[in-house]
Amino acid sequence: MPINHLTDWQTRSWLEFGDRFSDNFVFHGLVKINSEIQESLAKKNIFTIEQTGQYIQIHSIKKLREVTVDRKQPQTMTGMEMQMSLVAACLFPDSTSGDICSYTPGLITDRNSIDRDFLVPTQLLQTSEVGEIVKPETLAVIMQPGFQMGTKDQQLGLDFYFPNAGTYTSDRQAEKLSITRTETIDYKPGLTFSRVRQIIKANDREAALGLTIRGWTGILDDKNTLLNSAVQFGTELLPDAIPQINGSTFQANKNVNINLFLAARNARLPANSFTAYHAGIGKAASSASRHQKQSAPKAQFNSL
């Protein structure tokens, strides 16, 4: 909220709601604690106005903004299941006549390791190797009807199970595409204490303005309160903006150029930010009349 010497108190609130949007009550309030204006005229005809003020602001501060987009598109999924074993007379070195060997490794899909989202196995178990001699009791089990891998002590063959071996989308299914967007915003209350010091000096030809703003902001449930407070209190070591202007033998012109005030309040600040320290100095030629707003000379203001 903008602050000037006439600010007493201000409030602003609204309700955010919508389809697939979190309901939020947002409130901003500003209260003046103290405000003073002092005027003085120096011997060299330099007219000075110094305004100081202390203000407290209460904010609804956005701490979290989360956008979730769900995209659903029907697809045809193909899978594969293969069970195979191959045993025959041994032709491997160091084998004896009459031995039966396995010509496939023992590999089993761990069905407990299938990913629930993508339906693909993440682990294969190896139970035997190629060339392993088949035990008589294992061979007896393999010879039974259906696919048999053998006994608990020796399991041979391949037992693969891939529920998702690939997907494809047909033109008819593509028309059923749906996208859902959900936005969630979480606000936390925050408190800001601000001090404003504005000094205006004018002679018969021009005026200079010095503006200094210092602030401290605390946010509920902020994990970095100590660090943020240390940085904000550290700005107390920075100087105030004190403008300088030359004196004159002529009477001071109190018609301060309105563009000087507009330039001082036209600083570009980051969105959703808080001011810990802002200081700047500007100058502008004075207007001949208070009513000469449209043709008032241009002003410049440099700030940090």
Side-chain angles (χ1 to χ4, degrees), residues 208-229:
L209 183 149
L211 177 64
T212 306
I213 301 175
R214 302 178 189 272
W216 175 87
T217 298
I219 305 173
L220 183 66
D221 296 336
D222 183 12
K223 297 180 180 179
N224 299 315
T225 299
L226 294 178
L227 176 61
N228 292 338
S229 298

Side-chain angles (χ1 to χ4, degrees), residues 36-48:
E36 295 182 358
I37 297 179
Q38 295 181 353
E39 297 183 1
S40 62
L41 182 63
K43 293 182 178 180
K44 295 184 179 181
N45 291 324
I46 297 179
F47 179 66
T48 302

Side-chain angles (χ1 to χ4, degrees), residues 15-82:
L15 180 63
E16 295 179 346
F17 61 93
D19 187 21
R20 296 189 176 275
F21 189 90
S22 58
D23 295 340
N24 303 290
F25 177 74
V26 184
F27 176 83
H28 295 287
L30 170 64
V31 178
K32 178 185 71 177
I33 300 177
N34 182 40
S35 180
E36 295 182 358
I37 297 179
Q38 295 181 353
E39 297 183 1
S40 62
L41 182 63
K43 293 182 178 180
K44 295 184 179 181
N45 291 324
I46 297 179
F47 179 66
T48 302
I49 302 176
E50 181 174 350
Q51 174 207 346
T52 58
Q54 293 84 38
Y55 306 88
I56 287 182
Q57 300 181 64
I58 300 175
H59 317 267
S60 293
I61 300 172
K62 186 185 298 182
K63 288 203 66 178
L64 171 68
R65 179 176 181 266
E66 185 177 73
V67 178
T68 303
V69 179
D70 292 330
R71 184 177 184 272
K72 296 182 180 180
Q73 182 178 10
Q75 293 179 326
T76 299
M77 182 175 65
T78 60
M80 182 193 74
E81 184 174 8
M82 182 178 70

